Amino acid sequence: MKKCNLLSLVILTLIPLAGLSAGPVKVKLHQPPPGQLSLEHLWWVDLNNTTRETFRQVWLHGEVHEARQGLVFKANSNKFDLSPGRRTIRLRDISIKDPWYKPGYQ
């Protein structure tokens, strides 16, 4: 497994189904410790659903881009319902679906 010397971007987004907008959901990513980039660190996010409704069947999409190599990892989480209020998501709370790694980065 290669280590990324320079991580340019980690993207984790909330993907709602049925045309719902992610606008009312505040997303806070927890930055991995320096020099560490494991799945446990990538899938650690605080979500705050500021509406009064539960968003049904949402999932998280994560990508890692290395400064020189570009996209080196992407995956989705399982679908879940997001109730109003704050929720912390960790790797232990979800399952990873459709992972893709650039060869040499697994």
Side-chain angles (χ1 to χ4, degrees):
M1 177 178 179
K2 289 185 183 179
K3 287 189 174 181
C4 295
N5 291 328
L6 180 59
L7 182 66
S8 63
L9 180 63
V10 175
I11 303 171
L12 192 61
T13 56
L14 178 71
I15 309 294
L17 294 178
L20 295 174
S21 170
V25 176
K26 308 296 184 212
V27 178
K28 178 186 174 198
L29 297 174
H30 291 267
Q31 187 172 355
Q36 297 182 22
L37 189 59
S38 65
L39 285 176
E40 291 80 17
H41 295 120
L42 289 177
W43 300 94
W44 181 15
V45 61
D46 294 328
L47 303 175
N48 184 9
N49 178 357
T50 61
T51 72
R52 293 183 184 186
E53 68 179 290
T54 296
F55 291 134
R56 306 258 180 230
Q57 298 294 292
V58 300
W59 71 92
L60 300 172
H61 173 80
E63 294 184 359
V64 175
H65 294 252
E66 200 270 334
R68 295 183 183 140
Q69 298 294 318
L71 181 65
V72 296
F73 168 79
K74 67 178 178 176
N76 297 310
S77 76
N78 59 299
K79 295 175 185 168
F80 59 93
D81 293 342
L82 183 60
S83 302
R86 295 178 191 272
R87 180 174 177 188
T88 297
I89 304 287
R90 301 291 300 253
L91 181 62
R92 66 180 171 261
D93 302 320
I94 58 173
S95 59
I96 304 302
K97 307 286 183 189
D98 310 318
W100 174 87
Y101 299 89
K102 186 171 187 163
Y105 281 84
Q106 189 168 1

